[in-house]
Amino acid sequence: MEMTSVVLAGGRSTRLGRDKLVVEVGGRSLLQKVLEVLLPLSSEVLIVTAPGRAPLPMRDHAKVRWMEDVRPERGSLVGVYSGLRAATHPYSLVVAGDMPFLNEGLLRHMMAMASDCDVVMPRVGGHLEPLHAIYNKRCLPHFECLLAQGELKIIDVLPRVNVKYLEEAEVDEFDPRHLCFFN
């Protein structure tokens, strides 16, 4: 299945005090580490940023496109919505741009689960991972409804769509320390 990857990069990095996407881990920026995992999995990668943010200097890649949130200052739900709207493919793998330990095997497993649902989302330790999930474009009207109501939590879309949860034991097969969710 062809897949779009959406990297959410619109945060203001207020906790860190500087642009977290350029912070280096193992000699490469967080964004470079994320792209290294996503590029082999995706036919396109959309990096969704806050309006007015210039793309970070990086090696040009034909699959990577920078784009702005369609509704600024509204959080990660708008980032997911913006990416889904712009995606070429029905399914989009959505991750945060500051997740340096993404697990390719786990992401491939999630991609294989996506064909007959609207969302594939890990649930680890009783917590959902909406910024490490796969969304279908069928979620767009539901996101639009949430936005119109002023609701900005991604998880509020879940009761409205068909979700496959990836439970902790299944995640453990690929990443027993759950480093893939670290940001």
Side-chain angles (χ1 to χ4, degrees):
M1 171 189 310
E2 286 201 281
M3 182 87 46
T4 296
S5 285
V6 175
V7 179
L8 301 184
R12 292 177 292 199
S13 303
T14 52
R15 288 182 295 171
L16 188 60
R18 61 189 171 117
D19 189 347
K20 59 188 166 191
L21 297 180
V22 298
V23 171
E24 290 195 0
V25 174
R28 293 182 316 283
S29 73
L30 292 179
L31 184 58
Q32 286 172 319
K33 290 182 74 66
V34 167
L35 291 175
E36 285 172 5
V37 175
L38 296 181
L39 284 167
L41 301 175
S42 315
S43 59
E44 70 177 338
V45 177
L46 306 175
I47 302 174
V48 183
T49 68
R53 177 182 181 155
L56 296 174
M58 56 184 272
R59 187 176 65 95
D60 286 337
H61 197 287
K63 289 186 187 181
V64 177
R65 181 165 46 112
W66 289 78
M67 60 172 291
E68 294 182 351
D69 277 334
V70 295
R71 297 183 188 177
E73 302 296 321
R74 300 300 298 262
S76 55
L77 183 144
V78 173
V80 175
Y81 173 74
S82 299
L84 280 178
R85 276 188 43 177
T88 302
H89 305 293
Y91 287 94
S92 291
L93 170 60
V94 175
V95 300
D98 61 350
M99 300 176 99
F101 306 116
L102 293 173
N103 183 296
E104 184 177 341
L106 177 61
L107 294 173
R108 285 188 187 281
H109 180 68
M110 290 173 62
M111 290 168 69
M113 297 173 63
S115 64
D116 61 349
C117 64
D118 299 320
V119 177
V120 177
M121 186 177 295
R123 181 167 42 197
V124 176
H127 299 285
L128 296 172
E129 298 291 343
L131 299 185
H132 188 288
I134 296 174
Y135 298 88
N136 187 289
K137 282 184 174 274
R138 291 186 298 258
C139 294
L140 283 170
H142 303 289
F143 282 129
E144 289 168 358
C145 184
L146 289 173
L147 288 167
Q149 296 169 356
E151 299 293 330
L152 300 177
K153 293 181 188 169
I154 295 171
I155 60 170
D156 288 343
V157 80
L158 301 180
R160 302 167 184 234
V161 297
N162 179 14
V163 183
K164 276 189 187 174
Y165 293 102
L166 190 68
E167 300 298 345
E168 188 166 353
E170 213 168 345
V171 172
D172 288 349
E173 293 176 29
F174 298 91
D175 186 0
R177 294 175 52 205
H178 305 153
L179 291 175
C180 60
F181 306 122
F182 177 79
N183 64 8

Coordinates of all heavy atoms in Angstrom, one line a residue, residues 91 110 113-123 127-130 132-136 138-139 142-143 146 154-167 170:
Y91 N -4.1 6.9 2.9 CA -3.6 6.6 4.2 C -2.3 7.5 4.5 O -1.5 7.6 3.6 CB -3.2 5.2 4.4 CG -4.5 4.3 4.6 CD1 -5.0 3.6 3.5 CD2 -5.1 4.1 5.8 CE1 -6.1 2.8 3.6 CE2 -6.2 3.3 6.0 CZ -6.7 2.7 4.9 OH -7.8 1.9 5.0
M110 N 2.2 -1.6 11.4 CA 1.0 -0.7 11.5 C 0.4 -0.5 10.1 O -0.8 -0.5 9.9 CB 1.3 0.6 12.1 CG 1.6 0.5 13.6 SD 2.2 2.0 14.4 CE 0.9 3.1 14.1
M113 N -1.7 -3.3 8.9 CA -3.0 -3.4 9.6 C -4.0 -2.4 9.1 O -5.2 -2.5 9.4 CB -2.8 -3.1 11.1 CG -1.9 -4.0 11.8 SD -1.6 -3.4 13.5 CE -3.3 -3.4 14.2
A114 N -3.6 -1.4 8.3 CA -4.4 -0.2 8.0 C -5.5 -0.4 6.9 O -6.5 0.4 6.9 CB -3.6 0.9 7.5
S115 N -5.5 -1.5 6.2 CA -6.3 -1.5 5.0 C -7.8 -1.5 5.2 O -8.6 -1.1 4.3 CB -5.9 -2.8 4.1 OG -6.2 -3.9 4.9
D116 N -8.3 -1.9 6.3 CA -9.7 -2.0 6.5 C -10.2 -1.2 7.7 O -11.2 -1.5 8.4 CB -10.2 -3.5 6.6 CG -9.6 -4.2 7.8 OD1 -8.6 -3.6 8.4 OD2 -10.1 -5.3 8.2
C117 N -9.5 -0.1 8.0 CA -10.0 0.8 9.1 C -9.6 2.2 8.8 O -9.0 2.5 7.7 CB -9.3 0.4 10.4 SG -7.5 0.5 10.4
D118 N -10.0 3.1 9.7 CA -9.8 4.6 9.5 C -8.5 5.0 10.2 O -7.9 6.0 9.8 CB -11.0 5.4 9.9 CG -12.2 5.0 9.2 OD1 -12.2 4.9 8.0 OD2 -13.3 5.0 9.8
V119 N -8.2 4.4 11.3 CA -7.1 4.8 12.2 C -6.4 3.5 12.7 O -7.1 2.6 13.1 CB -7.5 5.7 13.3 CG1 -6.4 6.0 14.2 CG2 -8.2 6.9 12.8
V120 N -5.1 3.5 12.7 CA -4.3 2.5 13.5 C -3.5 3.3 14.5 O -2.8 4.2 14.1 CB -3.4 1.7 12.6 CG1 -2.5 0.7 13.4 CG2 -4.1 1.0 11.5
M121 N -3.8 2.9 15.8 CA -3.1 3.7 16.8 C -2.6 2.8 18.0 O -3.4 2.0 18.5 CB -4.1 4.8 17.4 CG -3.5 5.7 18.4 SD -4.7 7.0 19.0 CE -5.0 7.9 17.5
P122 N -1.4 3.0 18.4 CA -0.9 2.3 19.5 C -1.5 2.7 20.8 O -1.9 3.9 21.0 CB 0.6 2.6 19.6 CG 0.9 3.1 18.2 CD -0.3 3.7 17.7
R123 N -1.7 1.7 21.7 CA -2.2 2.0 23.1 C -1.3 1.3 24.0 O -1.3 0.1 24.1 CB -3.6 1.5 23.2 CG -4.3 1.8 24.6 CD -5.7 1.5 24.6 NE -6.2 0.3 23.9 CZ -7.5 0.2 23.5 NH1 -8.4 1.1 23.8 NH2 -7.8 -0.9 22.9
H127 N -2.2 4.5 27.6 CA -2.2 5.8 26.9 C -2.2 5.6 25.4 O -1.5 4.7 24.9 CB -0.9 6.5 27.3 CG -0.8 6.8 28.7 ND1 -1.5 7.8 29.4 CD2 0.0 6.2 29.7 CE1 -1.2 7.8 30.6 NE2 -0.3 6.9 30.9
L128 N -2.9 6.4 24.7 CA -3.0 6.4 23.2 C -1.8 7.2 22.7 O -1.3 8.2 23.3 CB -4.3 7.0 22.8 CG -5.5 6.2 23.2 CD1 -6.8 6.9 22.8 CD2 -5.5 4.8 22.5
E129 N -1.4 6.9 21.5 CA -0.3 7.6 20.8 C -0.8 8.1 19.5 O -0.5 7.6 18.4 CB 0.9 6.6 20.6 CG 1.5 6.0 21.8 CD 2.3 7.0 22.6 OE1 2.6 8.1 22.1 OE2 2.5 6.7 23.8
P130 N -1.5 9.3 19.5 CA -2.1 9.8 18.3 C -1.1 10.4 17.4 O -1.4 10.7 16.2 CB -3.1 10.9 18.8 CG -2.6 11.2 20.2 CD -2.0 10.0 20.7
H132 N 1.7 9.0 16.6 CA 2.4 7.8 16.1 C 1.4 6.9 15.5 O 1.2 5.8 16.0 CB 3.2 7.2 17.2 CG 4.2 6.1 16.7 ND1 3.7 4.8 16.3 CD2 5.5 6.0 16.7 CE1 4.8 4.1 16.0 NE2 5.9 4.8 16.2
A133 N 0.6 7.3 14.5 CA -0.6 6.6 14.1 C -0.8 6.7 12.6 O -0.1 7.6 11.9 CB -1.8 7.1 14.8
I134 N -1.7 6.0 12.1 CA -2.0 6.0 10.7 C -3.5 6.5 10.6 O -4.3 5.9 11.3 CB -1.8 4.7 10.0 CG1 -0.4 4.3 10.0 CG2 -2.4 4.7 8.5 CD1 -0.1 2.9 9.4
Y135 N -3.7 7.4 9.7 CA -5.1 8.0 9.5 C -5.5 7.9 8.1 O -4.7 8.1 7.2 CB -5.1 9.5 9.9 CG -4.8 9.7 11.4 CD1 -3.5 9.9 11.8 CD2 -5.8 9.8 12.3 CE1 -3.2 10.1 13.1 CE2 -5.6 10.0 13.7 CZ -4.3 10.1 14.1 OH -4.0 10.4 15.4
N136 N -6.7 7.6 7.8 CA -7.3 7.5 6.5 C -8.0 8.9 6.2 O -8.5 9.5 7.1 CB -8.3 6.4 6.3 CG -8.8 6.2 4.9 OD1 -9.6 7.0 4.4 ND2 -8.4 5.1 4.3
R138 N -10.8 9.3 5.2 CA -12.1 9.3 5.7 C -12.3 10.0 7.0 O -13.4 10.3 7.4 CB -12.6 7.8 5.8 CG -12.8 7.1 4.5 CD -13.4 5.7 4.7 NE -12.5 4.9 5.5 CZ -11.7 3.9 5.0 NH1 -11.7 3.7 3.7 NH2 -11.1 3.2 5.8
C139 N -11.2 10.3 7.7 CA -11.3 11.0 9.0 C -11.5 12.5 8.8 O -11.9 13.2 9.8 CB -10.0 10.8 9.8 SG -9.7 9.1 10.4
H142 N -14.7 14.3 10.0 CA -14.8 14.2 11.4 C -13.9 15.2 12.1 O -14.2 15.9 13.1 CB -14.5 12.8 11.9 CG -15.4 11.8 11.3 ND1 -16.7 11.7 11.6 CD2 -15.2 10.8 10.4 CE1 -17.3 10.7 10.9 NE2 -16.3 10.2 10.1
F143 N -12.7 15.4 11.5 CA -11.8 16.5 12.0 C -12.4 17.8 11.8 O -12.3 18.7 12.7 CB -10.4 16.4 11.4 CG -9.5 15.3 11.9 CD1 -8.9 14.4 11.0 CD2 -9.3 15.2 13.3 CE1 -8.0 13.5 11.5 CE2 -8.4 14.2 13.8 CZ -7.8 13.4 12.9
L146 N -15.0 18.5 14.4 CA -14.3 18.8 15.7 C -13.8 20.3 15.7 O -14.0 21.0 16.7 CB -13.2 17.9 16.0 CG -13.6 16.5 16.4 CD1 -12.3 15.6 16.5 CD2 -14.4 16.4 17.7
I154 N -7.0 15.3 19.3 CA -7.1 14.3 18.2 C -7.9 13.1 18.6 O -8.7 12.6 17.9 CB -5.7 13.9 17.8 CG1 -4.9 15.0 17.2 CG2 -5.7 12.7 16.9 CD1 -3.4 14.8 17.0
I155 N -7.8 12.7 19.9 CA -8.5 11.5 20.3 C -10.0 11.6 20.3 O -10.7 10.6 20.3 CB -8.0 11.0 21.7 CG1 -8.2 12.1 22.8 CG2 -6.5 10.6 21.7 CD1 -7.9 11.6 24.2
D156 N -10.5 12.9 20.2 CA -11.9 13.0 20.2 C -12.5 12.5 18.9 O -13.7 12.4 18.7 CB -12.3 14.5 20.4 CG -12.1 15.0 21.8 OD1 -12.0 14.1 22.7 OD2 -12.1 16.2 22.1
V157 N -11.7 12.3 17.9 CA -12.2 11.8 16.6 C -12.4 10.2 16.7 O -13.2 9.7 15.9 CB -11.2 12.1 15.4 CG1 -10.0 11.2 15.4 CG2 -12.0 12.1 14.1
L158 N -11.8 9.6 17.6 CA -11.7 8.1 17.7 C -13.1 7.5 17.8 O -13.4 6.5 17.2 CB -10.8 7.6 18.7 CG -9.3 8.1 18.6 CD1 -8.5 7.5 19.7 CD2 -8.8 7.7 17.2
P159 N -14.0 8.0 18.6 CA -15.4 7.4 18.7 C -16.2 7.5 17.4 O -17.2 6.8 17.2 CB -16.1 8.2 19.8 CG -15.0 8.8 20.6 CD -13.9 9.1 19.6
R160 N -15.7 8.4 16.5 CA -16.5 8.6 15.3 C -16.0 7.8 14.1 O -16.6 7.8 13.0 CB -16.3 10.1 14.9 CG -16.8 11.1 16.0 CD -16.4 12.5 15.7 NE -16.7 13.4 16.7 CZ -17.4 14.5 16.6 NH1 -17.8 14.9 15.4 NH2 -17.7 15.3 17.6
V161 N -14.9 7.1 14.3 CA -14.3 6.4 13.2 C -13.9 4.9 13.6 O -14.0 4.6 14.7 CB -13.0 7.1 12.7 CG1 -13.3 8.5 12.1 CG2 -11.9 7.2 13.7
N162 N -13.6 4.1 12.6 CA -13.2 2.7 12.8 C -11.7 2.7 13.2 O -10.9 2.9 12.3 CB -13.5 1.9 11.6 CG -13.1 0.5 11.7 OD1 -12.9 -0.1 12.8 ND2 -13.1 -0.2 10.6
V163 N -11.4 2.3 14.4 CA -10.0 2.3 14.9 C -9.5 0.9 15.2 O -10.3 0.1 15.8 CB -9.9 3.1 16.2 CG1 -8.5 3.2 16.7 CG2 -10.5 4.5 16.0
K164 N -8.3 0.6 14.8 CA -7.6 -0.6 15.2 C -6.6 -0.2 16.2 O -5.7 0.7 15.8 CB -6.9 -1.3 14.0 CG -7.8 -2.2 13.2 CD -7.0 -3.0 12.2 CE -7.8 -3.7 11.3 NZ -7.0 -4.4 10.2
Y165 N -6.6 -0.7 17.4 CA -5.6 -0.3 18.4 C -4.5 -1.4 18.4 O -4.8 -2.6 18.3 CB -6.3 -0.3 19.8 CG -7.2 0.9 19.9 CD1 -8.6 0.7 19.9 CD2 -6.7 2.2 20.1 CE1 -9.5 1.8 20.0 CE2 -7.6 3.3 20.2 CZ -9.0 3.0 20.1 OH -9.8 4.1 20.2
L166 N -3.3 -0.9 18.4 CA -2.2 -1.8 18.5 C -1.8 -1.8 20.0 O -1.4 -0.8 20.6 CB -1.0 -1.1 17.7 CG 0.2 -1.9 17.5 CD1 -0.1 -3.1 16.5 CD2 1.3 -1.1 16.9
E167 N -2.1 -3.0 20.6 CA -1.9 -3.1 22.1 C -0.4 -3.2 22.5 O 0.4 -3.5 21.6 CB -2.7 -4.2 22.6 CG -4.2 -4.1 22.4 CD -4.9 -2.9 23.0 OE1 -4.3 -2.3 23.9 OE2 -6.0 -2.5 22.6
E170 N 1.8 -6.2 21.4 CA 2.1 -6.2 20.0 C 3.3 -5.2 19.8 O 4.2 -5.4 19.0 CB 0.9 -5.8 19.2 CG 0.8 -6.4 17.9 CD -0.5 -6.3 17.2 OE1 -1.5 -5.9 17.9 OE2 -0.6 -6.5 16.0

